Amino acid sequence: MGRFIGCVVACLLLLPSGALAGGGELTGKITYVGSTVLTIQTGGRQVGVINALTRGARALAARAYPYVWGGGHGEAGVASIGVKGGPGYNGKRIGYDCSGAIAAVLAAAGLWPAGGPVPNDAGVIAQLRAEHLIARGPGTAPNEVTLYDHPGVHIFMNIDGRFFGTSDGGAGDPQGSPTWLDDGAPDVWSRAFKQYHFLPAVLAQRTTYGQSYTFQTTATPLLSAGAELGDRVTVGYASGRAGEMVAQTIVYAGAVTATGTVTAIAPDGSSLAITTSTGQPLTLSTSSVPALLQGVEVGDGVQVTYTPEAGGALVPHAVTIISEPVAATPPGGGISGPAQRAVTTRARRSA
């Protein structure tokens, strides 16, 4: 999980402030790519991890979301309707449960992948321990961040002396929104709650605190197939019926879109060579995902969108087979709409 330091997000919302209600465009760095979602972080400034946690908790508390069992689990930091039949569920109300709220705050400091799935409370602890971010026992002031977990029942946290969670004890009060627990959090003294503190080296890091946005890609799964963590993109989106942000176009910063004819394909799928419509030879590195070349044959006319990377490698985001040669597209290419004949876009392996 330490790899998420530096890919920090503010508290994610179903329709975040700053986003246009009817749709628009947002530019940022990709922090999460899932099978049905894409999360980007817009510009922010460098802050300490504890400050980022505090700001994330403050932002979540300000929204006054209700307690919804299972809320916030599908996409970290995104309020949801939760599990049918659970406390707070009515099929429409969106909110968070205890572990969903904690994961949202952790994502605000880069300690959890924004937009990624969230397990139950014990799963959160297990993942953080596996990433060597926490250890048993309470933290030591100053600069303390401690998680309190009653496995399978409830989880809350202490951020530098102030407690935050959905409620005290049990499965949470159905009326209790994620907020600061200013009653002293009496469950701190319960033997049922195990304590885990974030390591000082983790808290000593600085990270970027900026607004994050999660887009749905269910309707156009190939749209984000070439996306990779760290890519800087501009996402064109529309607002869905439930207020969700639905990605419609993705433009990669510094990307180039070109058309040409395939002249060679490495037997092991590590590269694709084309001659562009202007006669320029290009060799694209496809070693991370040979499946990108599925269906592509020598002699095909193709359109490729790629990014020049360090060392001179040309790494493709998409390869589209076209039925006949078309004019080259200028730099800054966006990917949208269906291909004319077939699309063979696959994801690059995320770092």
Side-chain angles (χ1 to χ4, degrees):
M1 192 71 64
R3 62 184 176 274
F4 294 109
I5 293 289
C7 292
V8 159
V9 296
C11 202
L12 301 178
L13 312 172
L14 187 65
L15 184 59
S17 59
L20 301 178
E25 291 185 347
L26 288 167
T27 298
K29 182 181 296 184
I30 294 176
T31 56
Y32 181 79
V33 182
S35 59
T36 60
V37 297
L38 172 77
T39 299
I40 68 171
Q41 177 204 1
T42 59
R45 64 189 184 89
Q46 288 284 307
V47 298
V49 169
I50 291 180
N51 283 339
L53 287 168
T54 301
R55 293 182 183 192
R58 185 185 302 135
L60 192 58
R63 300 289 296 191
Y65 282 108
Y67 179 93
V68 177
W69 189 59
H73 280 255
E75 303 161 29
V78 179
S80 61
I81 63 174
V83 178
K84 186 175 182 179
Y89 178 89
N90 68 2
K92 297 180 179 179
R93 181 187 297 118
I94 61 171
Y96 291 89
D97 68 3
C98 60
S99 50
I102 294 303
V105 174
L106 296 179
L111 303 176
W112 197 269
V118 178
N120 67 359
D121 59 294
V124 170
I125 295 297
Q127 188 162 327
L128 293 173
R129 293 191 74 179
E131 294 289 345
H132 305 292
L133 298 181
I134 60 175
R136 289 294 297 267
T140 303
N143 302 325
E144 174 205 356
V145 178
T146 301
L147 297 171
Y148 298 83
D149 180 45
H150 183 178
V153 179
H154 189 55
I155 188 172
F156 62 99
M157 68 190 305
N158 177 350
I159 306 173
D160 209 19
R162 193 174 185 188
F163 295 98
F164 179 90
T166 53
S167 67
D168 292 323
D173 180 356
Q175 303 300 316
S177 62
T179 191
W180 297 106
L181 306 175
D182 291 330
D183 60 355
D187 285 323
V188 167
W189 310 109
S190 170
R191 292 184 178 181
F193 282 83
K194 302 180 184 301
Q195 302 175 17
Y196 302 87
H197 67 278
F198 279 90
L199 301 177
V202 174
L203 300 181
Q205 299 187 56
R206 293 182 64 80
T207 188
T208 304
Y209 182 89
Q211 180 68 59
S212 285
Y213 302 90
T214 294
F215 303 90
Q216 302 293 323
T217 58
T218 308
T220 53
L222 293 178
L223 191 63
S224 61
E228 183 175 317
L229 297 182
D231 284 341
R232 186 166 181 80
V233 297
T234 297
V235 181
Y237 68 93
S239 180
R241 292 182 178 180
E244 72 275 20
M245 302 169 72
V246 181
Q248 296 185 317
T249 61
I250 298 177
V251 176
Y252 293 84
V256 178
T257 300
T259 59
T261 302
V262 176
T263 57
I265 301 174
D268 62 358
S270 62
S271 65
L272 168 71
I274 72 170
T275 298
T276 70
S277 54
T278 60
Q280 178 186 10
L282 294 176
T283 299
L284 302 152
S285 175
T286 56
S287 58
S288 61
V289 276
L292 182 68
L293 302 177
Q294 182 179 346
V296 179
E297 299 178 359
V298 172
D300 278 342
V302 295
Q303 177 176 286
V304 295
T305 298
Y306 64 91
T307 302
E309 298 195 352
L314 305 180
V315 181
H317 296 286
V319 176
T320 303
I321 302 172
I322 56 178
S323 58
E324 59 184 12
V326 297
T329 302
I335 305 172
S336 62
Q340 292 178 329
R341 180 157 64 89
V343 178
T344 60
T345 308
R346 296 293 185 273
R348 305 203 312 264
R349 181 166 45 236
S350 295

